[in-house]
Amino acid sequence: MVILESRVAPEWVDYNGHMNDAEYARVFSLGVEALMDHIGLDADGRDRHGYTIYTLETHLCYRREAHEGQPLRVALTLLDRDAKRLHVFFELLDEAGNLLATSEQMLMGMGQESGRPAPFPAEIEAVIAALPHAARDAWPTLAGRTIGIRR
């Protein structure tokens, strides 16, 4: 499911002539915001429910360079969920569908007043249940990776 469409902004390009590594994280952060909007946690939804989402962990994997002005799409796959967490996998794609980067993230639902983890409101939970969800044996190849030097 494509959750965000964007372009590489001029200010995202570094001295190497391609998108800076930190800007990939920015694009995936915008993907989380787009996901929040999609499930009903836009500004109005956050106010109405007193609820938001925090990012607990991110694993970024760079595959190809992106260049100034290049169209970008962020696709989302829900890997797992429980009452208050989402394990998501984002793919950053160019206009031809080439994989530029991935970001695997653990997101936590938070009560805004308490600042503590809290179950998703029922209305939000219903939308989350309808997101594309990959069974464990059908996860994208790059999901669930660990960092280490292979020996």
Side-chain angles (χ1 to χ4, degrees):
M1 162 181 182
V2 173
I3 196 82
L4 175 71
E5 294 187 10
S6 186
R7 287 189 176 271
V8 178
E11 60 273 16
W12 296 355
V13 176
D14 66 15
Y15 48 84
N16 292 314
H18 54 78
M19 194 161 85
N20 180 275
D21 59 339
E23 302 304 336
Y24 286 80
R26 176 194 307 267
V27 172
F28 288 122
S29 182
L30 294 172
V32 171
E33 289 182 20
L35 170 60
M36 290 175 64
D37 289 352
H38 179 80
I39 65 173
L41 290 175
D42 57 4
D44 289 339
R46 289 189 303 273
D47 286 346
R48 188 167 13 97
H49 295 288
Y51 194 86
T52 191
I53 290 179
Y54 287 3
T55 302
L56 299 180
E57 185 174 343
T58 298
H59 184 170
L60 250 157
C61 185
Y62 305 95
R63 307 304 284 182
R64 290 181 180 212
E65 296 176 359
H67 299 93
E68 184 175 337
Q70 186 173 1
L72 304 171
R73 289 180 293 140
V74 177
L76 163 76
T77 301
L78 180 61
L79 299 178
D80 201 3
R81 67 186 175 97
D82 65 14
K84 51 190 164 187
R85 290 177 295 185
L86 300 175
H87 182 185
V88 297
F89 189 79
F90 292 108
E91 293 176 305
L92 180 61
L93 307 163
D94 67 13
E95 64 273 316
N98 295 308
L99 183 63
L100 303 175
T102 63
S103 180
E104 187 171 348
Q105 299 189 22
M106 185 64 68
L107 307 174
M108 174 69 79
M110 304 289 286
Q112 287 183 306
E113 190 173 308
S114 69
R116 304 286 307 151
F120 294 108
E123 181 180 322
I124 304 305
E125 171 61 31
V127 181
I128 290 170
L131 290 173
H133 184 194
R136 180 67 174 110
D137 61 352
W139 279 13
T141 305
L142 294 175
R145 291 173 40 121
T146 58
I147 295 175
I149 299 172
R150 294 187 185 118
R151 302 217 188 271

